[in-house]
């Protein structure tokens, strides 16, 4: 007998879904929960697309929460329970004379469904997960999206799907718009393959949740929010999503900084003048006299490791700081690997950051020897070539994981930077429990300069908000 999806009733099931959203950091309050209940009461529960859209409208406050919401929605409101039955004979998986799955024929069927953009591709994905993705684990039968897609290799169908789309559109070589049509077809084919991969992954999570429990699968199978993704483990798609969120984070930080400046506008109490003024009121300090705050915005110097191991973290942080340029009187950026060079010229307000990072690697003098990170050498070069850059009005930010390949960390150079600057902080994308392990010199540097763990955009935003000088 099949276990009911909501054994304690739909209201309790909805509350459980809301609780799962909260556990993943999505703020959902009582009023949103009540709205969601009203949505469920009026919508057709058999139309999952409408139900998904309605609950998203009621529960979400930011568009960046949508990927996490969709992953949890598919677990709490699955398309089916158990193996999905297929009524159409056309979707029976092709088999050879021995009764084994004919992968070539399956790939042909998949290509035709994707060319037609058929809704039956979802049913095919469920059957393939059942046939190709099932394996025996220590806890019993389980399912693997990787195993399904490994045998199917849908990426190799790109050219076939592309040709089918071009034939359907009627675009030819002599067509003046042929190049445009070809590019549109190529992107459409790539997107449909990506959508099919998503179908397989969704089906795998659904079947796994039935065996392991949806709460357990939600911990590892649902995408993290963009600001919680680990910089050092982020995929290209996750990094792209992070880069799109930079403007929002910068606006948030700028607002916090403006509020701190307003609070500091009146300056500290001038005790001597306050006591003198209180003589007119019998010694009672009714009116406080404050010192004038020092005008001017601080200078910022960034020392950024651009080696491959921390490139994603450095790229995102530079994007964030560049968006905050107007909060500082001057921003100077220095990149390094085993040597250091100023790269401020590559980061004007309208710069293409991908191009800027490419220019750093090809035009800046950041590699002197073998191209492996050498923090000690880079700090030494910085002091030799740019000794006058850091002054008593300068705030210094060092970006890097402090993995020095067992070379001299040159702590004296870092001490010199810290002693001259107004503020000096190091932002490290590695977990704190890994500092000092292997070739990491983070624990040595942390004794000289304030070092902060910044593994995700959420941590980075919190740290930078607290460190921004006024």
């Amino acid at each position: 007998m099949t276990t009911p999806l909501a054994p304690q009733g739909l209201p309790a099931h909805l509350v459980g879904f809301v609780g799962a959203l909260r556990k993943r950091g999505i703020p959902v309050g009582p009023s949103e929960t009540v709205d969601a209940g009203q949505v469920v009461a009026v919508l057709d529960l058999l139309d999952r697309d409408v139900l998904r859209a309605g609950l998203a409208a009621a529960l979400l406050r930011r568009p960046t929460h949508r990927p996490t919401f969709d992953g949890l929605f598919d677990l709490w409101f699955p398309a089916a329970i158990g193996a999905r039955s297929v009524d159409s004979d056309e979707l029976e998986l092709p088999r050879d004379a021995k009764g084994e799955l004919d992968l070539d024929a399956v790939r042909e069927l998949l290509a035709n469904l994707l060319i037609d953009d058929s809704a039956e591709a979802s049913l095919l994905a469920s059957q393939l997960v059942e046939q190709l993705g099932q394996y025996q684990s220590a806890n019993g039968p389980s399912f693997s999206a990787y195993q399904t897609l490994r045998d199917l290799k849908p990426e190799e169908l790109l050219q076939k799907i592309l040709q089918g789309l071009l034939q359907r559109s009627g675009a030819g070589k002599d067509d003046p718009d042929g190049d445009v049509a070809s590019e549109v077809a190529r992107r459409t084919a790539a997107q449909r393959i990506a959508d099919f991969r998503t179908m397989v992954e969704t089906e795998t999570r659904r079947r796994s949740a039935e065996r392991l429990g949806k709460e357990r699968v939600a911990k590892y199978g649902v995408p993290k929010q963009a600001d919680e993704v680990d910089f050092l483990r982020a995929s290209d798609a996750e990094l792209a999503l992070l880069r799109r969120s930079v403007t929002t984070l910068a606006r948030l930080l700028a607002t916090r900084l403006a509020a701190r400046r307003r609070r500091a506008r009146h300056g500290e109490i001038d005790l001597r003048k306050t006591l003198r003024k209180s003589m007119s009121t019998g010694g009672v300090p009714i009116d406080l006299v404050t010192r004038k705050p020092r005008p001017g915005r601080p200078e910022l110097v960034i020392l950024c490791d651009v080696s491959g191991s921390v490139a994603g973290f450095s790229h995102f942080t530079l994007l964030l700081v560049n968006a905050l340029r107007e909060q500082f009187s001057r921003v100077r950026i220095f990149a390094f690997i085993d040597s250091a060079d100023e790269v401020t010229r590559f980061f004007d307000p309208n710069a293409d950051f991908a191009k800027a990072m490419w220019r750093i690697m090809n035009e800046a003098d950041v590699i002197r020897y073998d191209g492996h990170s050498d923090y000690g050498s880079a700090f030494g070069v910085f002091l030799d070539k740019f000794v006058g850059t850091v002054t008593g009005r300068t705030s210094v930010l060092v970006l890097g994981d402090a993995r020095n390949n067992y070379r001299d960390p040159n702590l004296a150079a870092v001490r010199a930077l810290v002693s001259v600057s107004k503020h000096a902080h190091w932002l490290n994308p590695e977990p704190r429990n890994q500092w000092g392990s292997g070739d990491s010199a983070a624990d040595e540097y942390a004794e000289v300069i304030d070092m902060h763990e910044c593994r995700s955009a959420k941590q980075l935003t919190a740290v930078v908000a607290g460190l921004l000088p006024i």
Side-chain angles (χ1 to χ4, degrees), residues 29 44 78 90 126 154 157 169 174 178 194 207 235 245 315 330 336 349 361 390 422 429 445 461 463:
D44 181 2
E90 296 178 359
S126 66
L157 300 175
S169 66
D174 298 331
R207 298 306 307 275
S235 64
S245 68
H315 191 172
R330 189 178 187 185
F336 67 87
M361 301 305 297
V390 179
K422 181 179 181 181
Y445 286 124
T461 303
V463 170

Side-chain angles (χ1 to χ4, degrees), residues 6 116 126 246 302 351:
D116 295 337
S126 66
V246 163
I302 302 174

Side-chain angles (χ1 to χ4, degrees), residues 166 169-185:
L166 288 175
S169 66
K173 294 182 179 179
D174 298 331
D175 190 341
D177 296 328
D179 291 341
V180 175
S182 178
E183 180 61 24
V184 170

Side-chain angles (χ1 to χ4, degrees), residues 65-82:
H65 294 157
R66 187 59 188 262
T68 304
F69 169 89
D70 285 338
L72 293 172
F73 179 89
D74 288 332
L75 293 178
W76 261 258
F77 299 92
I81 298 177

